[in-house]
Amino acid sequence: MAGSFCRGRFLALFDYKTEKYIIAKNKKVGILYRLIQLSVIGYIIGWVFITKKGYQETEEAIQSSVITKVKGVSVTNTTESGLLVWGPEDYAIPPQGDAVLFVVTSFLETPNQKLGYCAESPKVADGLCQGDEDCEEGRLVLAGNGMKSGRCLKKDGHSKGTCEIYGWCPVERAFKPKLIIELKNIIMCSTFRSNVLETTDESYLKRCRYDEERHPYCPIFRLGDITRRAGHNFQDMATLGGSIGMSIQWDCNLDKGYSHCHPQYHFTRLDTSVSNKTVAAGFNFRHARYFKNGSGESYRSLFKVYGVRFNIMVHGKAGKFSIVPTAINVGSGLALLGAGAFFCDMILLYVMKKGNSYRERKFENTRYDKLNRSTDIDRSSCCFCQQYFSTGKQSGSLVMKDVITWCVTKNM
């Protein structure tokens, strides 16, 4: 008996079970179900597969290399320096750029500085004094240019003076910066998966300028064009400098081949706020050039340079067909269709007025009565009874033909 029971359970594993469907003649629920189906299908096809390309395996953590190069010359003529010609080695810092490049657009020069004693700049708050007691000897001037000597230098006895310092004298002077970069100067940048046109024409990069339609693979930009694309005027930025973020965006569909993989350039000014009321606008720093005279004395020329700092950032993604994301998104769509059917079932069974009638037809209750065992039957035996009824037709009416009943008893 135990073997027969286990065998029956084992064979039941290979039975196929299917759901029972009931067709509800309810137009409202039917229309709602079709609308849900159309919405889910439209979402899967339109958004997941067409817009987001859900059938592709996407790689967004791209690796890139950026090379920058500056070309062009400019001429300045100042009282301090005289007539000078500036090349890329002078105004591009560093000359061989990486992902960050600084281009000098104006400068302040303090020539022929020499170590010695002189008055601190009146623009330095910690260098102002009323008397010698305000200039403690050996103390460094905060945000200043040297070390205090202990003397307070005044023009007269009633005015406020400045402390005498030991440092590079004379201190930096303030005057209007001189523009050194003209609009003809250009910047060349290239990224791996090169944004340079593959051509045998050696003169192409000498005569092309970037254009989204005509020359998308020409990485040559005028300095003025970059500031204009960032929404600002170059002449305004040249005086006090600024910082511009250059974003190179790659969006490659490898199913169409590399010919459809074009770079997109975006420019944003980084040193200003949305309201343009920031006090930190502009970009500048100082550097010095040292030299010695014929007697061996050390001198230097101090430059406070203003310019445009470029931060080059590369972003992008590449996608190609893969069966794994396709199967996942198709399965998700089928699950959403099943959720739509479940939602309509809830409305049909619990919201509609005839919900009780629908529930009676959808759900069937089956009761199993316990076997009543007689006390006069030995519990060590089991009796199986089965009746076979055969029916037939006689004179157009249904009658019982025979009844067979037997009982098989087996001692356990």
Side-chain angles (χ1 to χ4, degrees):
M1 180 60 63
S4 176
F5 174 79
C6 295
R7 181 172 178 273
R9 286 300 181 91
F10 176 75
L11 294 177
L13 295 175
F14 301 98
D15 294 340
Y16 173 74
K17 299 178 182 179
T18 185
E19 296 181 358
K20 177 182 179 181
Y21 292 93
I22 297 176
I23 300 177
K25 299 295 184 178
N26 190 303
K27 300 301 181 184
K28 296 180 179 179
V29 178
I31 293 175
L32 176 63
Y33 181 55
R34 297 307 177 192
L35 289 176
I36 294 175
Q37 283 184 321
L38 291 176
S39 300
V40 172
I41 294 174
Y43 165 76
I44 296 298
I45 297 177
W47 177 255
V48 175
F49 285 105
I50 296 179
T51 304
K52 304 301 291 184
K53 295 181 175 61
Y55 57 88
Q56 290 184 338
E57 184 176 2
T58 305
E59 176 64 39
E60 296 185 359
I62 64 172
Q63 297 179 352
S64 63
S65 176
V66 179
I67 301 173
T68 58
K69 188 176 183 180
V70 182
K71 292 183 178 180
V73 295
S74 185
V75 178
T76 60
N77 190 1
T78 65
T79 303
E80 295 79 12
S81 302
L83 185 65
L84 291 178
V85 177
W86 294 70
E89 63 278 1
D90 300 312
Y91 60 75
I93 302 172
Q96 297 298 328
D98 200 347
V100 177
L101 176 69
F102 178 80
V103 179
V104 179
T105 57
S106 59
F107 70 99
L108 299 174
E109 181 185 5
T110 306
N112 301 323
Q113 285 185 321
K114 179 182 177 181
L115 283 174
Y117 291 91
C118 59
E120 178 61 276
S121 172
K123 291 188 175 183
V124 180
D126 191 46
L128 301 177
C129 61
Q130 293 288 352
D132 292 344
E133 63 276 5
D134 296 329
C135 302
E136 181 182 350
E137 184 178 0
R139 181 183 174 185
L140 295 176
V141 182
L142 296 178
N145 297 282
M147 181 177 63
K148 296 179 181 180
S149 66
R151 297 176 57 197
C152 181
L153 304 179
K154 296 183 180 181
K155 291 183 179 181
D156 55 64
H158 301 286
S159 64
K160 182 180 292 188
T162 58
C163 294
E164 184 184 56
I165 63 168
Y166 178 78
W168 288 98
C169 298
V171 296
E172 182 181 73
R173 293 174 292 175
F175 49 90
K176 186 177 180 180
K178 282 80 176 177
L179 179 66
I180 68 168
I181 301 298
E182 299 177 3
L183 294 181
K184 67 178 182 180
N185 293 318
I186 56 178
I187 293 177
M188 179 191 300
C189 59
S190 60
T191 60
F192 183 69
R193 175 59 182 97
S194 178
N195 58 348
V196 181
L197 181 67
E198 296 180 0
T199 178
T200 57
D201 186 1
E202 297 182 356
S203 63
Y204 175 74
L205 292 180
K206 296 180 180 180
R207 54 183 172 81
C208 76
R209 295 295 180 270
Y210 174 78
D211 185 270
E212 295 180 359
E213 299 296 333
R214 295 183 300 172
H215 300 290
Y217 280 93
C218 177
I220 309 297
F221 296 88
R222 294 182 184 272
L223 198 59
D225 294 339
I226 293 177
T227 56
R228 186 178 66 254
R229 286 173 177 268
H232 295 268
N233 184 273
F234 172 74
Q235 302 295 339
D236 297 336
M237 293 187 64
T239 303
L240 297 178
S243 180
I244 292 181
M246 301 175 59
S247 175
I248 306 176
Q249 185 74 32
W250 295 88
D251 190 1
C252 300
N253 185 356
L254 300 182
D255 292 331
K256 296 181 178 180
Y258 288 98
S259 60
H260 292 76
C261 188
H262 303 304
Q264 298 292 329
Y265 297 90
H266 305 279
F267 304 91
T268 306
R269 187 168 180 178
L270 304 178
D271 60 301
T272 59
S273 61
V274 178
S275 60
N276 292 325
K277 295 182 179 180
T278 178
V279 296
F283 187 84
N284 66 81
F285 65 92
R286 294 173 175 84
H287 71 93
R289 296 176 181 175
Y290 296 87
F291 57 92
K292 291 184 179 182
N293 60 11
S295 60
E297 293 180 305
S298 296
Y299 289 85
R300 77 173 188 180
S301 292
L302 178 65
F303 292 88
K304 182 179 181 180
V305 295
Y306 298 82
V308 182
R309 184 177 188 267
F310 296 97
N311 299 269
I312 305 172
M313 300 160 285
V314 182
H315 307 279
K317 62 179 181 179
K320 192 173 184 179
F321 174 78
S322 176
I323 191 62
V324 175
T326 303
I328 292 175
N329 287 314
V330 170
S332 300
L334 295 177
L336 288 176
L337 291 175
F342 175 78
F343 177 73
C344 291
D345 278 350
M346 295 298 102
I347 293 179
L348 187 66
L349 299 176
Y350 300 103
V351 178
M352 305 299 293
K353 293 182 179 180
K354 297 182 180 180
N356 292 330
S357 177
Y358 290 125
R359 284 197 297 272
E360 290 177 358
R361 288 164 175 78
K362 183 173 178 65
F363 302 108
E364 295 181 357
N365 295 325
T366 303
R367 297 180 180 179
Y368 294 92
D369 296 331
K370 295 182 179 180
L371 294 176
N372 298 321
R373 297 186 177 181
S374 178
T375 57
D376 57 345
I377 300 178
D378 188 6
R379 294 185 179 180
S380 62
S381 63
C382 180
C383 179
F384 295 87
C385 298
Q386 186 173 3
Q387 295 182 350
Y388 289 85
F389 297 89
S390 300
T391 59
K393 290 184 179 181
Q394 185 176 6
S395 301
S397 62
L398 186 64
V399 298
M400 180 180 295
K401 187 175 183 181
D402 59 354
V403 178
I404 306 174
T405 304
W406 72 91
C407 182
V408 179
T409 303
K410 180 178 179 183
N411 294 331
M412 300 299 295

